Amino acid sequence: MNHHPIGIFDSGIGGTSVWKEIAAMMPLEDTLYLADSRNAPYGERTGDEIIALSVKNTEWLLSKQCKIIVVACNTATTNAIAYLRDHYPLPFIGIEPAIKPAALHSQTGTVGVLATKGTLASRLFSTTSKNHASHIRIVEQEGAGLVSLIESGRMDSVETRELLKKYLLPMLDANMDHLVLGCTHFPYLMPLLREFLPDHIKIIDCGEAVARQTFKLVRDSEQLSDQGRPGRHTFFTNADPGVLNDILDSLPGIKEVSYLDF
């Protein structure tokens, strides 16, 4: 047994789409979430900058005695998780675009990937594509500007709608039948995506798969909590907590949000 919290960090509020799956699957576990919104979006930063920010986030979560860290950010995973695993003794769970299941089930032979520049340019993304999708066409689309709009709470703004239509058009023209969301912020655009895309196109994000992997790792390492009470969920952000509060208000569970000068 290990009653210490599961640590989660992201470049902002997007990783809450992963947190909610973890909290649902592991209801007795405490969680500690760090939103580095002041430095978002990570996808526009260099690889060295992303590693440095990921190290800073990890060190802070370690200071809070987290027993495992979920890197709830595609860009941080693809650029920094190998470094983190090499330099810290605790387990890390990462996130990468779910190309493999999309490639396996595509009927048209074309899969769209909407992600940040940092994810699309990473070595891990390239390796994953070659290993699991060499037989299909992948249409990569950088979602420039979307993370900043989501971080400011403008998920359904005119600007968001215009950008999303612009980014989806090349993938629709290529006859994709699966759209992979390569950023944990993007599930918050699901209402717009469902509005813009034909019904036959399957949208894939990795939140549930990450939660399953987190549960398996904690269980297999005999670190499951058994405190006899629901988990406590604490969130820290280094930006205006208003948008984070708004998102969390729509999700189940008791949560506490605090500003952190970090």
Side-chain angles (χ1 to χ4, degrees):
M1 300 297 174
N2 185 332
H3 301 321
H4 291 159
I6 294 172
I8 304 167
F9 79 80
D10 180 39
S11 62
I13 63 174
T16 56
S17 64
V18 176
W19 167 82
K20 69 178 181 179
E21 301 289 350
I22 292 173
M25 193 169 294
M26 309 175 72
L28 299 182
E29 295 290 340
D30 292 349
T31 63
L32 186 59
Y33 183 100
L34 176 60
D36 188 23
S37 294
R38 184 183 296 170
N39 292 301
Y42 281 12
E44 297 177 8
R45 295 183 174 274
T46 67
D48 287 344
E49 288 175 326
I50 295 164
I51 290 173
L53 290 169
S54 298
V55 166
K56 184 180 180 183
N57 297 337
T58 295
E59 295 281 358
W60 189 83
L61 290 172
L62 285 175
S63 75
K64 302 301 180 182
Q65 297 184 301
C66 290
K67 62 187 176 186
I68 181 176
I69 293 179
V70 180
V71 183
C73 173
N74 294 80
T75 302
T77 296
T78 52
N79 287 272
I81 200 163
Y83 181 94
L84 297 177
R85 286 171 172 160
D86 284 345
H87 288 80
Y88 297 96
L90 81 167
F92 286 86
I93 297 288
I95 295 176
E96 57 185 279
I99 295 172
K100 183 178 179 179
L104 283 172
H105 295 101
S106 176
Q107 298 297 308
T108 65
T110 300
V111 169
V113 179
L114 183 65
T116 66
K117 178 181 178 181
T119 292
L120 295 174
S122 69
R123 181 179 299 177
L124 181 56
F125 178 81
S126 176
T127 301
T128 301
S129 299
K130 289 177 182 176
N131 289 344
H132 300 297
S134 59
H135 61 292
I136 67 165
R137 179 185 181 191
I138 296 180
V139 182
E140 301 175 11
Q141 177 60 60
E142 177 189 346
L146 292 176
V147 170
S148 296
L149 288 165
I150 295 167
E151 283 288 321
S152 61
R154 290 179 286 168
M155 287 80 154
D156 194 24
S157 66
V158 172
E159 187 176 0
T160 302
R161 285 175 166 267
E162 290 178 349
L163 281 178
L164 205 51
K165 288 179 180 178
K166 174 185 174 183
Y167 296 154
L168 293 173
L169 186 59
M171 294 185 278
L172 289 170
D173 287 344
N175 197 30
M176 72 167 176
D177 60 358
H178 286 68
L179 174 63
V180 176
L181 302 182
C183 174
T184 54
H185 284 74
F186 294 167
Y188 288 110
L189 299 176
M190 195 67 77
L192 290 184
L193 290 169
R194 286 277 51 125
E195 177 184 334
F196 295 155
L197 293 174
D199 291 341
H200 74 276
I201 294 180
K202 183 173 178 58
I203 303 171
I204 302 179
D205 78 89
C206 57
E208 185 178 347
V210 171
R212 287 197 303 269
Q213 180 64 15
T214 302
F215 171 76
K216 183 178 184 300
L217 196 154
V218 174
R219 180 198 63 196
D220 292 353
S221 61
E222 300 182 346
Q223 295 193 80
L224 285 171
S225 178
D226 187 18
Q227 302 179 90
R229 60 162 176 79
R232 293 171 179 158
H233 308 296
T234 310
F235 295 77
F236 292 88
T237 178
N238 55 14
D240 181 353
V243 177
L244 181 56
N245 267 312
D246 288 344
I247 285 178
L248 293 174
D249 282 346
S250 67
L251 301 175
I254 299 174
K255 302 164 288 288
E256 177 185 345
V257 179
S258 299
Y259 173 77
L260 178 69
D261 189 9
F262 177 79

